[in-house]
Amino acid sequence: MNAPLPTHLLPTVNAREVPAAFLDALQARFGAQCSTALAVREQHGRDESAFTHVPPPAAVVFAESTADVADAVRLCAKHRVPVIPFGVGSSLEGHLLAVHGGISIDVSRMNRVLHIHAEDLTATVQPGVTRKQLNEAVKSAGLFFPIDPGADASIGGMAATRASGTNAVRYGTMRENVLALEVVTARGEVIRTGSRARKSSAGYDLTRLLVGSEGTLGIMTEVTVRLYPLPEAISAAICSFPSIEAAVRTTIAIIQMGIPIARCELLDGGTVKMVNAYAKLGLREEPMLLMEFHGSPTGVQEQAEWVQEIAGEHGGQAFEWATTPEERTRLWTARHNAYFAAIQSKPGCRAISTDTCVPISRLADCLLDSVAEADASGLPYFLVGHVGDGNFHFGYLIDPDNPQERQTAEALNDRLVHRALALEGTCTGEHGVGLHKIGFLRDEAGEGAIEMMRTLKRALDPDNILNPGKIFAL
């Protein structure tokens, strides 16, 4: 029989009492929109992280409007009950877990695209709108929203975690693409930050403060985002390499030469093998770059030719071009399914995901040493990366009931993060801190910066009811 996990690998659960009077008031206000059924609570008490055995929230409110969110938060504030916003549950770092108890506010029913201002290249949506839904709504105007973290995440969740994904090398992250917010504060007050103007010097930049705050400073009820014209021409290509180092050196050369590549994704040979088995593809089972080019037909062709030449200098071969939407979809579906392909390769496993990002010039130093350590550990893993902006992910595949495998994975992650920090990188490029990276954030930011964050948290949420226990400990 396996021993329990060491306490330093488990989240600290310190659930507060939820008064019966609070639950009665919640039921009176929301009726069928409020559920205390165990199955519903358990669904909202877990995410895609490897954390298990955390009690679910005491209730789930299915908000359908800003007024619903504000009323629920006001009740929570009155009774000092924690509240956790919930979108689609695709978080990887334990953001949704009720480690302090409380309730979950599910905003998935707040899924309307409110305004599309095609002439200004902006859209305003409710937080439950997903990225695919938004792109479907704006494509008839010849526009698209480029942030693509892989999962069909909600716009609210993406803003809360400052998500990015495969297009970030060209279009940036949620930080650059959120213009304005409507937010419910810890007191249940509705405020607005920012505007649809492309720039402003009016006071503190509250929008940027809230983007990436992971639900700890307010609950987003509207998000205004930038849109972009659909490219005139799009071309995708895959290229295989004799080694991961050759693929990484190619990526560094592409970025340093200023080629405006839209996507540049790395899969190692083992991951390609998993994807082949999962998606019934016949890709060469070698390290691979999956790339995409946006622009005019002439510009796309020039970019692709430059990249092919650079790749050839590093041993790249077997270029496969995908110019039709169907071919591109096939390739990007394979990339987006890498996580599920890996999970299926070891039935019953969970993935300990890493999320480091380093300056592009240090990418090879960080990645190659980390690959060597992972290989030496004997633990199965997958490796994918948005390497065009220096961000990559290992997924160490573990038996969740085997504490030795968990400890091995966490030790690999620990060494990887500290290697990235030594190279002036970050512990998280896009997943956020949540529960899993609290210690790493302290190592990265320093106690002085963490205390400044605590000061902001105490000022805006004095009773610590907004997603408490995440990012740092008060």
Side-chain angles (χ1 to χ4, degrees):
M1 181 176 178
N2 289 321
L5 284 171
T7 55
H8 74 281
L9 297 181
L10 293 170
T12 300
V13 177
N14 186 21
R16 306 182 205 173
E17 180 183 357
V18 176
F22 165 76
L23 292 176
D24 290 343
L26 211 61
Q27 290 283 2
R29 165 61 176 83
F30 291 101
Q33 289 176 244
C34 178
S35 176
T36 56
L38 180 60
V40 175
R41 293 190 293 117
E42 286 182 337
Q43 177 192 354
H44 290 77
R46 60 174 180 261
D47 55 14
E48 293 296 328
S49 73
F51 290 122
T52 57
H53 310 302
V54 177
V60 178
V61 170
F62 292 89
E64 296 178 357
S65 66
T66 298
D68 283 351
V69 175
D71 286 350
V73 173
R74 278 194 285 268
L75 284 172
C76 288
K78 179 180 178 181
H79 295 273
R80 298 191 176 185
V81 172
V83 55
I84 306 166
F86 185 99
V88 298
S90 59
S91 161
L92 292 166
E93 303 295 346
H95 295 96
L96 308 176
L97 304 187
V99 289
H100 285 221
I103 70 165
S104 173
I105 294 185
D106 186 321
V107 298
S108 61
R109 297 181 185 177
M110 295 177 65
N111 60 355
R112 290 189 298 130
V113 176
L114 300 173
H115 305 288
I116 299 171
H117 296 278
E119 64 279 11
D120 294 321
L121 303 179
T122 68
T124 300
V125 303
Q126 291 184 309
V129 170
T130 67
R131 65 175 185 86
K132 290 182 180 178
Q133 180 188 350
L134 176 56
N135 274 316
E136 188 65 27
V138 301
K139 70 177 184 181
S140 62
L143 303 173
F144 82 118
F145 179 66
I147 310 303
D148 178 6
D152 191 20
S154 67
I155 300 299
M158 291 166 64
T161 56
R162 203 184 304 144
S164 54
T166 58
N167 278 317
V169 64
R170 177 158 183 170
Y171 297 99
T173 72
M174 290 298 284
R175 179 182 64 185
E176 292 81 29
N177 288 285
V178 174
L179 293 170
L181 296 168
E182 180 185 82
V183 177
V184 174
T185 71
R187 295 184 299 177
E189 180 185 1
V190 180
I191 66 167
R192 292 183 177 273
T193 74
S195 69
R196 290 197 305 110
R198 286 302 174 114
K199 62 180 182 179
S200 172
S201 296
Y204 293 167
D205 192 344
L206 297 180
T207 303
R208 298 297 174 274
L209 175 63
L210 289 160
V211 172
S213 64
E214 303 181 15
T216 64
L217 299 179
I219 299 178
M220 300 173 189
T221 50
E222 288 184 14
V223 186
T224 298
V225 298
R226 296 175 186 264
L227 302 175
Y228 294 80
L230 281 167
E232 184 182 357
I234 301 176
S235 179
I238 57 173
C239 181
S240 297
F241 291 85
S243 67
I244 291 176
E245 180 174 10
V248 171
R249 298 291 181 194
T250 297
T251 302
I252 293 172
I254 292 169
I255 301 304
Q256 290 180 339
M257 289 185 65
I259 298 172
I261 193 167
R263 304 188 190 189
C264 188
E265 296 287 301
L266 170 72
L267 286 76
D268 76 316
T271 304
V272 176
K273 183 176 182 179
M274 294 174 185
V275 167
N276 277 341
Y278 180 82
K280 305 299 186 292
L281 299 176
L283 302 171
R284 291 168 65 116
E285 293 176 356
E286 298 173 342
M288 182 182 79
L289 288 180
L290 174 54
M291 299 164 284
E292 191 167 278
F293 309 92
H294 294 177
S296 67
T298 301
V300 163
Q301 182 177 348
E302 288 178 349
Q303 293 170 38
E305 289 173 351
W306 290 337
V307 168
Q308 187 167 2
E309 182 178 344
I310 293 169
E313 294 172 358
H314 291 87
Q317 55 186 323
F319 257 78
E320 179 183 334
W321 298 99
T323 55
T324 68
E326 294 77 17
E327 291 171 330
R328 292 197 305 274
T329 297
R330 178 179 69 91
L331 292 178
W332 285 110
T333 298
R335 163 60 183 91
H336 289 329
N337 284 339
Y339 174 83
F340 302 104
I343 293 295
Q344 191 179 77
S345 73
K346 184 179 177 179
C349 76
R350 301 284 284 188
I352 302 292
S353 297
T354 74
D355 181 32
T356 49
C357 185
V358 295
I360 190 68
S361 64
R362 311 309 298 272
L363 179 60
D365 299 333
C366 191
L367 184 51
L368 297 176
D369 286 347
S370 302
V371 168
E373 284 187 348
D375 287 340
S377 75
L379 204 63
Y381 68 88
F382 66 94
L383 171 60
V384 296
H386 317 308
V387 288
D389 55 17
N391 186 199
F392 61 90
H393 312 290
F394 283 87
Y396 306 115
L397 304 177
I398 66 164
D399 177 349
D401 296 320
N402 186 325
Q404 184 56 53
E405 289 189 2
R406 175 68 180 266
Q407 290 184 67
T408 299
E410 294 288 2
L412 289 168
N413 184 32
D414 185 90
R415 289 195 291 272
L416 168 57
V417 170
H418 285 98
R419 180 177 296 115
L421 296 183
L423 297 171
E424 300 181 88
T426 179
C427 65
T428 173
E430 58 185 1
H431 294 167
V433 175
L435 291 171
H436 196 211
K437 292 185 167 69
I438 289 175
F440 295 143
L441 178 65
R442 185 172 56 249
D443 295 338
E444 177 176 333
E447 192 56 41
I450 296 296
E451 186 55 35
M452 184 176 288
M453 295 181 199
R454 289 193 185 104
T455 300
L456 288 167
K457 170 70 169 172
R458 293 185 188 111
L460 298 179
D461 181 17
D463 293 323
N464 194 24
I465 65 169
L466 294 176
N467 205 9
K470 314 300 165 52
I471 304 182
F472 48 79
L474 282 179

